[in-house]
Amino acid sequence: MNHDSKYQVLLESHEPAPVVIHAGEDREWLIVCDHASNRVPKRLGKLGLSPEDLHLHIAYDSGAAWVAARLSQHLRAPLILSNYSRLVIDCNRYPNDPESIAKVSDNRTVQGNMVVTADEASQRRSSIFAPYHLAIDNALREAEGLGRIPAFISIHSCAPSLGGKGRPWQIGIGWSRDTRMSAPVLQNLAQNANFTVGDNEPYSLDLGSDFTTPEHAMTRGLAHLQIEFRQDLLDTPEAAASWADVLFDAIRSVKAQDSWHRRECYLVASDKVFGIHSWL
């Protein structure tokens, strides 16, 4: 696949582009997936990891892209997916965060990240991180140009256990301050006794750590959901689709959605969340 030459600092001309964009008719929504792929640029030589390592949660959010695609179909919403592994550079971490290019993940040493020069980190940032976030920014600007205020949905998946502790939650909703979407969706999900739903579990929406939702949605005052599905429930496209259907039903069941399409600001200056262009 040919793509813009500015990406070829790291990516060879025949490699896939750093971001995948699916157009959607309904600009009242935008769906993103930060960790959709376990792909590693050829020039990085698999980062010294085995194929088995690259199929673990340390490399990507397995099944999340399937969920995001199905939800995009339901909502007729645009969808933007990062197309390289979080181990190359994590698109949901600040570039100055040590976890942006992780040396160790879940007790596994990432040899290809042990010595990364400032220039090499900059290449990863400009080749992978920047185009993904510029695509999200462009999609939001286009929606705004059409007079839309989209609801922002970020899809993730998590390992069924971490550090020896099991995670009972099938779906987790992370939030911070702005509960316009999280509260009613949590309430609808919790009405089904078959589901164990995490309220800020296993992860919260962490200002200062999470990048995508705060820097894109919260800076604009957009209503948002940041969602985790347990990876062992998403092992086939069909299984992932069924969980996307569960989420869609919970979203669709919310009767009063007016607040989802207006701006409400919950950030304060001390949060130091100023928008993506401070980081590109």
Side-chain angles (χ1 to χ4, degrees):
M1 179 185 296
N2 291 325
H3 43 71
D4 196 298
S5 61
K6 67 184 178 182
Y7 304 143
Q8 296 180 26
V9 173
L10 179 60
L11 303 179
E12 297 179 5
S13 60
H14 62 276
E15 289 187 274
V19 56
V20 175
I21 303 170
H22 295 287
E25 299 173 9
D26 193 342
R27 306 308 295 271
E28 297 285 333
W29 309 89
L30 181 64
I31 302 170
V32 304
C33 192
D34 296 329
H35 306 132
S37 175
N38 61 353
R39 183 177 288 109
V40 175
K42 290 185 178 181
R43 291 179 180 174
L44 297 183
K46 304 298 184 186
L47 296 170
L49 296 169
S50 69
E52 292 76 20
D53 288 334
L54 290 174
H55 279 90
L56 297 174
H57 69 278
I58 63 172
Y60 75 128
D61 286 357
S62 63
W66 291 333
V67 173
R70 175 76 164 194
L71 186 63
S72 172
Q73 292 173 357
H74 279 313
L75 294 173
R76 298 183 298 111
L79 169 62
I80 298 174
L81 308 100
S82 177
N83 207 23
Y84 284 82
S85 173
R86 59 155 54 99
L87 294 177
V88 178
I89 187 167
D90 193 328
C91 287
N92 195 35
R93 290 290 177 266
Y94 285 82
N96 62 353
D97 186 332
E99 293 301 310
S100 171
I101 299 176
K103 292 180 170 62
V104 178
S105 184
D106 196 16
N107 297 317
R108 282 177 172 79
T109 299
V110 185
Q111 291 294 344
N113 289 348
M114 294 306 291
V115 180
V116 178
T117 68
D119 283 347
E120 289 167 344
S122 179
Q123 287 178 2
R124 297 190 194 192
R125 181 172 163 182
S126 63
S127 299
I128 307 295
F129 179 92
Y132 173 67
H133 287 291
L134 285 171
I136 296 173
D137 186 61
N138 288 340
L140 292 172
R141 289 177 183 272
E142 288 170 5
E144 292 162 355
L146 295 170
R148 305 289 191 269
I149 301 176
F152 189 92
I153 302 176
S154 178
I155 302 292
H156 296 259
S157 71
C158 64
S161 65
L162 190 68
K165 293 184 178 181
R167 288 166 164 170
W169 310 283
Q170 295 153 314
I171 303 177
I173 306 292
W175 58 273
S176 179
R177 301 180 191 161
D178 185 351
T179 61
R180 284 177 287 169
M181 293 186 74
S182 60
V185 171
L186 277 165
Q187 183 178 24
N188 284 347
L189 288 169
Q191 289 175 357
N192 191 321
N194 294 320
F195 302 152
T196 301
V197 182
D199 183 349
N200 265 342
E201 298 284 0
Y203 297 109
S204 62
L205 176 55
D206 190 356
L207 296 178
S209 179
D210 289 312
F211 183 91
T212 302
T213 298
E215 294 287 347
H216 287 286
M218 295 187 76
T219 55
R220 288 176 162 90
L222 303 181
H224 50 271
L225 282 177
Q226 183 160 296
I227 306 160
E228 298 275 353
F229 292 85
R230 219 174 62 211
Q231 290 176 354
D232 59 321
L233 305 176
L234 310 178
D235 57 350
T236 67
E238 294 76 19
S242 70
W243 283 102
D245 294 348
V246 167
L247 175 60
F248 174 67
D249 288 343
I251 291 171
R252 181 175 55 179
S253 298
V254 176
K255 303 301 182 185
Q257 296 186 8
D258 292 347
S259 69
W260 295 5
H261 302 291
R262 67 173 181 247
R263 299 185 193 278
E264 295 184 10
C265 187
Y266 292 82
L267 294 172
V268 296
S270 60
D271 293 323
K272 298 182 180 179
V273 178
F274 301 119
I276 67 156
H277 292 282
S278 302
W279 298 98
L280 300 182

